[in-house]
Amino acid sequence: MTRWIIGPVAALAVGCAQGAPLDGDTSGTLGTTAATAMPTLTEPTTTSGTTTETGGTTTTSTSDSETLSSETDDTATTTTGEPTVLGEYYPFDEVHSPITADVAASLAAIKAKGTKMDGVFAKVGGSSTASTNYMHCLADAMQIMELPAELQPTVDFFNATAAGMGATSFSRVSLAAMAGWGGAEVLAGMPSPLANEVTEISPRFALVLLGTAELEVPPPEGVFTFADNLTAVVDALIAGGTIPILSTMPTRTMPAGIDVYVPRYNAFVRALAQGRKIPLIDLNLVLAGLPGLGLAADGIDLSVALGGDMVTPTPCAFGFAGITSGYNRRNLVTLEALARVKPVVVDGAAPPDASAPTLLGAGTLAEPIVIPGLPFADMRSTADSPSDEIDAYAGACMSMGEDGPEFVYELTIPEATKIRALVFDQGTVDVDLHLMTLTDAGTCVKRADRELEGPLQPGTYYIVVDTLGTATPGEFGLVVLPEV
């Protein structure tokens, strides 16, 4: 599959930018007299574009007529003249994340951590994962209709190995999936349901979809609790040699208004999958094009195709009429994901993707990581950062010291946009968010411990994830989303 590099080959660090105090008060918005060419800003789950920057002078004006002016640099590259390629990136416009040689090496390293049954997968999640409409029908050839021929070997392979008494992975009732469960329930107890399921069936793979239950936890705590729990689930599986295959969650339309939180959860799922170099299924993207978003009448569960009697569910009907339903489409894309990863992990076959989009930039003030477009998700560790240049911020961000290492990101937006940026950390790691209008700590316009949101005027900004005081540098996830 042909893939591409995201980001400019030049102009990795431009000069002046336009900023707004992210507090919803447009009276403090900084205006601009010059536009910068950038990818079109899109809603979550749409295509991210490429980035083009141009040199020149931009001027920003505050509401009290104070003016900031700066000459932009034409280029900012490594000492070799080429931009730093930081790593592979999971694009928002593809259902299946890339499996390249780099990802394949990560999967092989996970496999080496423990002896498992290659023909077995576990199901981990809440209501839709525990449902008999999810995967069970694939254990019965009589229920499978119009399955694409290329997926039949995958069905045969996983049906050839028992997963407990009288079941295969498809038909097994998982100990780690139950209606109403979130990550906390999957991990609860000694041993936990997750540990019990892994012990009983020794799965090489685990299909993981969590978050629907956590959506009902009042914001902002819900998404951060979800992130902690999902990370714990994924890391527990990896530690034992089971390869997680993560999935984004479907949209929920009930209760009313809850759907606005879904992109925040799903962006973290993507960041974690990308950071761990494990497969990701963008189920939300798949279902977005279906009637009713692939949801049942309750706005929570998935819809399912019905047989000729208009009563019997037929979740393994994969013809045109069948795959317009949520469970049918989820079953199909899950099979596709297994068909992509099984040959690489079990058979030692070449990875299906020769290349993947890549992030450009080193994460320093001189060479920020270029955000290719919104939405954006990333995961890395300040312990690995090449930059520890900023120990204090001025402007609107004067506070306690940020003495540890940081990563600097560059974000350019083409039109007035409300954004939300979230940073996730765990344990003794404590990183903060800072928004600057230049690569200068004196131009910081907003600081937050976990979450920044508000309107921005067109221009280029710098988001800094910086380690607080003497806190331990370590892993973080960064999510930046456009919001209406």
Side-chain angles (χ1 to χ4, degrees), residues 155-355:
V155 173
D156 295 340
F157 176 76
F158 287 103
N159 270 325
T161 305
M165 294 293 293
T168 71
S169 299
F170 294 117
S171 58
R172 176 177 171 80
V173 176
S174 173
L175 300 176
M178 187 170 291
W181 274 14
E185 289 76 19
V186 169
L187 295 166
M190 294 291 288
S192 67
L194 179 67
N196 284 334
E197 181 69 355
V198 169
T199 297
E200 283 207 15
I201 65 174
S202 192
R204 174 59 68 201
F205 306 98
L207 305 172
V208 182
L209 194 165
L210 291 165
T212 304
E214 287 92 336
L215 272 173
E216 298 184 5
V217 177
E221 292 305 321
V223 69
F224 293 101
T225 299
F226 160 75
D228 289 346
N229 289 334
L230 181 64
T231 301
V233 168
V234 166
D235 287 348
L237 290 167
I238 289 174
T242 297
I243 295 169
I245 300 173
L246 298 188
S247 174
T248 59
M249 74 175 78
T251 293
R252 277 186 61 172
T253 57
M254 291 299 291
I258 201 170
D259 57 309
V260 301
Y261 303 111
V262 173
R264 304 174 198 178
Y265 285 69
N266 282 341
F268 179 79
V269 175
R270 182 179 300 274
L272 182 59
Q274 181 177 303
R276 296 292 184 269
K277 299 181 182 179
I278 55 178
L280 173 70
I281 304 169
D282 195 342
L283 181 63
N284 187 279
L285 177 63
V286 171
L287 299 183
L290 301 189
L293 302 173
L295 299 178
D298 65 1
I300 300 173
D301 198 11
L302 299 182
S303 60
V304 62
L306 300 178
D309 61 3
M310 299 304 293
V311 174
T312 306
T314 57
C316 281
F318 297 119
F320 175 77
I323 59 172
T324 59
S325 298
Y327 274 114
N328 300 60
R329 187 60 72 89
R330 185 183 178 194
N331 288 337
L332 184 64
V333 296
T334 302
L335 268 183
E336 291 171 351
L338 290 169
R340 284 170 55 80
V341 72
K342 177 263 179 183
V344 176
V345 173
V346 177
D347 305 328
D353 303 308
S355 61

Side-chain angles (χ1 to χ4, degrees), residues 84-156:
T84 300
V85 177
L86 191 62
E88 293 179 346
Y89 175 74
Y90 285 11
F92 278 79
D93 61 339
E94 296 190 12
V95 172
H96 297 288
S97 62
I99 301 179
T100 60
D102 188 40
V103 174
S106 173
L107 302 181
I110 296 172
K111 180 180 179 180
K113 292 178 181 291
T115 301
K116 293 290 184 285
M117 300 290 290
D118 288 339
V120 176
F121 61 81
K123 291 172 281 189
V124 181
S127 300
S128 67
T129 300
S131 172
T132 55
N133 288 324
Y134 180 54
M135 304 297 277
H136 285 246
C137 53
L138 291 164
D140 181 359
M142 297 299 293
Q143 296 188 51
I144 302 174
M145 294 173 278
E146 299 184 69
L147 178 72
E150 64 271 18
L151 297 179
Q152 188 62 53
T154 302
V155 173
D156 295 340

Side-chain angles (χ1 to χ4, degrees), residues 443-455:
T443 66
C444 187
V445 296
K446 191 73 173 181
R447 174 190 181 276
D449 178 43
R450 299 189 300 185
E451 187 170 0
L452 288 172
E453 62 89 18

